[in-house]
Amino acid sequence: MKWTIDTTTQTLTTEDEEIPLYSKEAFSLLSELWLKAGWNLRYHYTFSWLGRPVLQLPEDLLRMQEVLWELKPDLVIETGIALGGSLLFYASLCQLNGKGSVVGIDIDLRPQNRTAIENHPLFPWITLLDGDSLAPATHEKLASLTKGKKSVLVVLDANHSYHHVRQELEQFAPLVTPGSYLVVADGFKKSLADVPRGKTRWEWDNPLNAIEDFLADHPEFTLQYPERRYNRSPVRLPVTHFPSGWLLKQ
């Protein structure tokens, strides 16, 4: 696709139309391109939370903060720990809320990352589970950890292939409590098939397709981006790595 940006006439011209450069429509188009370029340059690898790399966009973190402040869940479960920053992010919000804890699941948590998490002041709010997020042994432990919890939120941020996410959605959906969210990270992968670091198979092998198929089979979940508690902007679409990633359980 070819675009022409003219700052003199303040227009953005695509192959189909000309739109005002400073409109919400142009902002949406430019944001999508910015996301793709930023992902290719690992822009989201430039942020940390309380000393640990967090590997997420600020907008996604802030939206999660809004939800956790409003919901104040008893338990947050995250698949895929990576460097640990997001676990510490959730744990810090649990501490601030005065309730809740975090469970992190990873099939291959590297020793240096484990040590950094276990030595962090927020580790008392964190439980680490070693193993495959799909393994029966993992879910036996989760059954014990979620027992009696009135509010449970789940974030799926491990393997982002269609097959893995589709299975995770099925297995973790029962753990999510009504009124809470099943959050699927990195659906933006579908848009990255044509960038230099992307892969053509991502056009179909991605979390978005898994979400679509899951929702068709699970009417108890609805696609619902969190309500913005403060918004004085005409912009409605998020600038996010988690498109269609917020599934609210009725």
Side-chain angles (χ1 to χ4, degrees):
M1 177 180 290
K2 181 179 180 180
W3 295 352
T4 301
I5 296 175
D6 191 327
T7 57
T8 301
T9 62
Q10 298 187 358
T11 58
L12 187 157
T13 304
T14 71
E15 295 172 348
D16 302 315
E17 60 181 340
E18 179 182 279
I19 57 179
L21 180 58
Y22 298 105
S23 65
K24 63 180 182 180
E25 293 80 12
F27 177 81
S28 179
L29 290 173
L30 292 171
S31 294
E32 183 176 358
L33 182 59
W34 177 85
L35 283 167
K36 294 174 72 169
W39 181 88
N40 194 66
L41 294 170
R42 295 182 174 89
Y43 173 67
H44 56 296
Y45 277 60
T46 66
F47 302 99
S48 64
W49 187 261
L50 300 180
R52 294 301 297 164
V54 71
L55 311 187
Q56 290 187 20
L57 289 181
E59 172 150 341
D60 291 326
L61 290 171
L62 284 173
R63 296 304 174 203
M64 182 65 75
Q65 170 270 143
E66 291 172 350
V67 168
L68 294 185
W69 178 253
E70 190 76 19
L71 187 62
K72 292 181 171 59
D74 296 308
L75 190 66
V76 177
I77 301 171
E78 180 183 50
T79 67
I81 295 174
L83 301 177
S86 56
L87 275 187
L88 296 176
F89 177 75
Y90 306 140
S92 67
L93 293 171
C94 289
Q95 180 193 44
L96 185 62
N97 283 337
K99 64 175 295 191
S101 60
V102 185
V103 175
I105 305 167
D106 204 294
I107 196 170
D108 185 24
L109 181 58
R110 296 177 180 177
Q112 65 270 27
N113 296 330
R114 178 187 299 278
T115 299
I117 295 168
E118 291 179 344
N119 289 335
H120 198 278
L122 286 170
F123 185 64
W125 282 265
I126 295 172
T127 299
L128 300 177
L129 294 185
D130 296 301
D132 189 339
S133 62
L134 301 175
T138 299
H139 284 268
E140 287 178 10
K141 296 174 183 176
L142 287 173
S144 175
L145 291 168
T146 57
K147 186 177 181 180
K149 297 294 190 294
K150 294 181 179 179
S151 179
V152 177
L153 181 144
V154 174
V155 183
L156 304 180
D157 195 11
N159 183 321
H160 301 302
S161 68
Y162 170 89
H163 183 66
H164 189 88
V165 174
R166 186 69 180 86
Q167 290 185 83
E168 277 193 328
L169 283 163
E170 290 291 342
Q171 293 194 26
F172 282 87
L175 301 180
V176 180
T177 53
S180 187
Y181 285 93
L182 178 54
V183 185
V184 184
D186 290 339
F188 187 63
K189 179 180 177 181
K190 185 172 185 176
S191 300
L192 300 171
D194 62 343
V195 305
R197 290 201 306 115
K199 295 178 173 59
T200 55
R201 72 169 187 273
W202 290 357
E203 292 182 0
W204 58 267
D205 187 18
N206 62 71
L208 277 185
N209 288 352
I211 292 169
E212 182 178 354
D213 289 348
F214 172 79
L215 289 175
D217 295 335
H218 290 271
E220 74 273 23
F221 283 91
T222 57
L223 189 61
Q224 186 167 321
Y225 192 73
E227 179 184 353
R228 294 174 177 174
R229 297 302 177 186
Y230 179 79
N231 187 15
R232 298 185 64 183
S233 168
V235 174
R236 292 295 180 265
L237 295 176
V239 182
T240 179
H241 282 176
F242 300 177
S244 300
W246 292 85
L247 311 184
L248 179 65
K249 191 171 187 178
Q250 305 300 318

